[in-house]
Amino acid sequence: MIIILQPHATPQSVEYRQLMDYLTNRPNIQTRVHQEVGALQTLTEIYLIGDTASLDQAEIEHQPGVERVVRVSEDYRILGCHQDDRRPTGFDYNGVLFSQNTLNVFAGLCAVDIPAHVEQMLKALRDNGQVCTRMGAYKPRTNPYSFQGHGKACLPWVFELAGKYGIKVIAMEIAHDSHLDEIREALEKTGKPTGVMLQIGTRNTQNFELLKIVGRQREFPVLLKRGFGITLEESLNAAEYLASAGNRNVVFGLRGMKTNMGDPHRNFVDFAQVPVVKRLTRMPVCIDPSHSVGTRERAPDGLLDVMHVTAQGVVAGANMILVDFHPHPTKALVDGPQALTLAELPWFLEDVAIARAAYEKRRLLAEREARKSDK
Amino acid sequence: MIIILQPHATPQSVEYRQLMDYLTNRPNIQTRVHQEVGALQTLTEIYLIGDTASLDQAEIEHQPGVERVVRVSEDYRILGCHQDDRRPTGFDYNGVLFSQNTLNVFAGLCAVDIPAHVEQMLKALRDNGQVCTRMGAYKPRTNPYSFQGHGKACLPWVFELAGKYGIKVIAMEIAHDSHLDEIREALEKTGKPTGVMLQIGTRNTQNFELLKIVGRQREFPVLLKRGFGITLEESLNAAEYLASAGNRNVVFGLRGMKTNMGDPHRNFVDFAQVPVVKRLTRMPVCIDPSHSVGTRERAPDGLLDVMHVTAQGVVAGANMILVDFHPHPTKALVDGPQALTLAELPWFLEDVAIARAAYEKRRLLAEREARKSDK
Amino acid sequence: MIIILQPHATPQSVEYRQLMDYLTNRPNIQTRVHQEVGALQTLTEIYLIGDTASLDQAEIEHQPGVERVVRVSEDYRILGCHQDDRRPTGFDYNGVLFSQNTLNVFAGLCAVDIPAHVEQMLKALRDNGQVCTRMGAYKPRTNPYSFQGHGKACLPWVFELAGKYGIKVIAMEIAHDSHLDEIREALEKTGKPTGVMLQIGTRNTQNFELLKIVGRQREFPVLLKRGFGITLEESLNAAEYLASAGNRNVVFGLRGMKTNMGDPHRNFVDFAQVPVVKRLTRMPVCIDPSHSVGTRERAPDGLLDVMHVTAQGVVAGANMILVDFHPHPTKALVDGPQALTLAELPWFLEDVAIARAAYEKRRLLAEREARKSDK
Amino acid sequence: MIIILQPHATPQSVEYRQLMDYLTNRPNIQTRVHQEVGALQTLTEIYLIGDTASLDQAEIEHQPGVERVVRVSEDYRILGCHQDDRRPTGFDYNGVLFSQNTLNVFAGLCAVDIPAHVEQMLKALRDNGQVCTRMGAYKPRTNPYSFQGHGKACLPWVFELAGKYGIKVIAMEIAHDSHLDEIREALEKTGKPTGVMLQIGTRNTQNFELLKIVGRQREFPVLLKRGFGITLEESLNAAEYLASAGNRNVVFGLRGMKTNMGDPHRNFVDFAQVPVVKRLTRMPVCIDPSHSVGTRERAPDGLLDVMHVTAQGVVAGANMILVDFHPHPTKALVDGPQALTLAELPWFLEDVAIARAAYEKRRLLAEREARKSDK
């Protein structure tokens, strides 16, 4: 059960203390307080754990300082979208809004290679009005003898270049807590010219120790990708590890499932789950068309499969797109064959805009229908 | 290797006989002639089987009566889309055009139950400008003790009602060659008030004996659904069974794959394969959102998952939609929980139209880009 | 609910008529009578369908002529192994016993090719004391342009050769009801020199129309293979189609599941399900190591993977083995690379015998333990 | 390419230096030296990386101090079993031998709970002649709100109890490098009364950063479990991460794949891969029947499925068994329903012994057959 307090009912207030006294007297109930600090006000929530079935919801709702009470289901206590749960979704990071209603494109390099390529990429993004990107410094690779990314060595110049071209958020995979420290340090040394969204890859979706450590910090938001051999429910539970450790600024990423039933695509595209994740949780949903498809194959209508599946995610309400571009795909150190070129960037963005406009139209139509059936 | 003849080079022509003489003299080559009778003209194609590697393509192209020569890859010889293969896709049936460029909606009952329901459904379709429907008379069910459909008993009145409401094509599953005979007979007895597209379900995708028998007739087009435990390639090979037996009027249907990785959807939606099938073959591609999703769950934006995945298929170029409706879903004998209601039909069609318009826009944009890069 | 009658309570007896009168007076109950004709006596069972929950089991058990009453669970009403179900498993066919306690090896040719090969195979079997074999006349192939088996043309000489070498049962796949007719006819024409177990392959596991037709005859027993894209439960339900149509002489075959998670084996070996099928149903369980593994790869201990997985099935109680041999694997028309050679036949049989002896020992040990814990 | 040196050719020897000089002069070749310190002698191997194709194998084999040269395939350079690779498999740890020819049973608690249970378990093991066990202190759980294991707090008393009952090796899962430090510290504080085999669970199979850190130490051997959504090849590549970082004392564990095709078992048992792993690599192979099956279901022959799949692994040559026992399964904090009881321990061990004896017999038979065909 979650008690959402009125804005003025801060932990310092009289109402808060009275409410806590009231709750302390209930048997077998523990409380846990979470504060979400926003630009204008701070939201306080009290999580009740234990024998909450015995509590009288209406009685609690009448306590002073209480705005609303939500009964949570067992799963995804914090990130879940519970019955009659009208709490807003999403968060603001470094001036960019992430929610179930927004759409952010993170085009960029799968793996950072040389400064010239990074700069060409970032310049193209700025010239096309983009403020987000993806840049991989740490690359978990199946084979231990493959290139594993430049690691912390490249962070300072990548961050500085990002700042130069007005990039607000870089999605960057980490695979160990030391990577988090290295990113934090490099950002501080360079004067925080940009922001970082920590990306947890599909191989680490159930690396719970990493999730707990990443969840304990609230400086960086987290993009958690779905694990490829597990059910959606298990991956959503992994996201809850981040939230239960303290960090709720989590985006959930779909990236395809590994099975030959999806051939000739590299993975079995799972973007039909976009509306499912939005129904079960309050997380914004990201799609990764590049790793799902894995090739530059093209349909007879001239559109690349990567663009088709992107449109599929967007037309169903996806909130973030992680997509591989490269100035010279043949020179890319990782996953070159699936990358789009810089010349294709404006086309890609326009294609996304068409799908997004269709989604908006569909949503308005659904609202109109809902009003009709309410009458 | 396929030799496509000029329209006038019919089997009765001099050119044809000369060409055949020429081919007969090539060692280890067998020929097989296929004629596609259209409204305005008849297209003749000669398939060469055997040691075609030794043939001189240019030399054949210079023979009189030859329009074009296409070297076929091993897979999907007839239905495949081979290199530099510019042959048109699709076919016309009972006044309705099916191709990789069209979109036809087949809304209807998963299983025929009572005449009143069928009539309500058909009337709603007519009132919404539809000329196609789905109506299941033969229902393969996992459990032998479940309702198996009304079978041939319902055919006459279903066909008559269809005629009454201007339905041109009914998609109807068959599971044995006797069903084909029953449908043909019922249509003849009722004076062919409508047309039938024979549907082969996912449990019979590799029922090759059925495919051969259905492929030997050319009266009815066929909708072949993807098999759920096999690769896409294997399902496309199954389609080729129909064509190799003589019937090329085949639509290929995606309907989701059976794996718990797709939970909570009933199946793992595979509509990302729409552009793949259009690239590998010349078949129009159908999507079945109802059986893929299997529920009426709704995203927070008010749209049903069934509508979201439909839009995903359409925005990527799907050519046919098979979708379950029912006047009273709770009274449906099969798959009621996933059916849309008649009140939702106009909404559904409008939602589809938005996604289709987006697809058209995306296609035009791709053409513009192609022209750009040609320059 | 199943009422098992005492041997003397035949449909002609007084007890039978009294019992039927009693049952007719129960509301909403339908009866269905099944007779299993054995060598010594005939077993009569009455299946009750409808509102059986309202029946008093003890009361029925006290009716004259009633031996025992078994409450069946919803699934696998006839073939299922229900609570306190002590009915014997298995059946006798042409002098060979098939049950959950026996083990029969069906070594033979995946596909019949030439008489010389068939005869060499059969001779080797006889010389090694075998009376069963596999011989494929109808071969469903993924690609329509592949060899599809010699079909009915080869049946007469195959049956005659089988008779010559003392073969009692040939497992032979059929894919259409016409194949059943052709086999019956060929057997009759040749004077029934051997017997046939009809095999339904994995592509037709849910070809329910074929199952119904095959189930309606009781001359030939049936080997139903598990379907590769469906759950075990769904495949067991398919077996129930055969039984509900009348034929209970069904062996259930495991043959691996199609997924790249089983690589480098051709399929993901599923023989861990042997004890599961024996627990859920009363069917003998067959394993097909050849199609599961698909290669002749060998472990460092010198044993072929095909032999290893065979031993795995047998040590857990498998009742039948379907395995590919060929006098000249490189000349085999289908699946040559996985076939064992005739020189390997004695080794294979000895290897199977070791695993079977281990199973018998394990079973005796389990019995001893059960007696211990009963005390 | 690997150069295996003669025992006397240590890095201090003249031959070694001569060889290194020789190699230094080859263009584009880097060397990496690995020493395996055994009880009687130290084995030195030189790994050549780079343009090894240009090297003359025979020439190198004739250099002084060289025992043998093995050309490695690209995959699993260190752990792989390459062509003509006759190097011994396995290793000795704390007096226990692990190889592709041995069999060690690790029965024990899935999760450590209270000292009384641990002691009862260990006493039962000692009384049955066992010197290995499994004891989980760190438990990665799908749900963040589930019990996560007692962690480092329980290590001292678990190690001391193990020592008291003569346990030589405890298999213990770790999920973060800090766990490795905690284990090392607790062992040192308690005077190393026992040994630990570090277990990497299926959720961390591709947690490459953890593998690198664990691979850098050579004090503890490692049991790496197969990842559940990835191919076998990818999991074997993960094992190579350990070896490439320096630790070759790796056992590879099969534990079933997550897919509903394996229902009603918890996972799809993959023990058919035992011979595959032994063919592709030089690692001993462990099976985990408890997590594969996940229940105590029993076949009609009285044997538990857990015992059946164990026998399947063993009869095909498995080298290690990880199996859950508990003195009071209903009181177990994790996975109680699948645990065997202490009363079942002697039965289980006897059942394993039967399967192992069968394997040994099969191996001898294979050797006899090999000799036959050599003649």
Side-chain angles (χ1 to χ4, degrees), chain C residues 141-154:
Chain C
R141 303 300 298 282
T142 300
N143 191 312
Y145 305 110
S146 304
F147 170 67
Q148 313 260 327
H150 286 314
K152 73 172 170 179
C154 70

Side-chain angles (χ1 to χ4, degrees), chain C residues 171-193:
Chain C
M172 184 174 272
E173 180 164 2
I174 64 167
H176 190 261
D177 35 291
S178 59
H179 302 165
L180 167 59
D181 299 334
E182 291 167 9
I183 287 171
R184 190 185 279 123
E185 197 183 343
L187 273 177
E188 266 158 34
K189 275 195 183 151
T190 53
K192 298 199 184 178

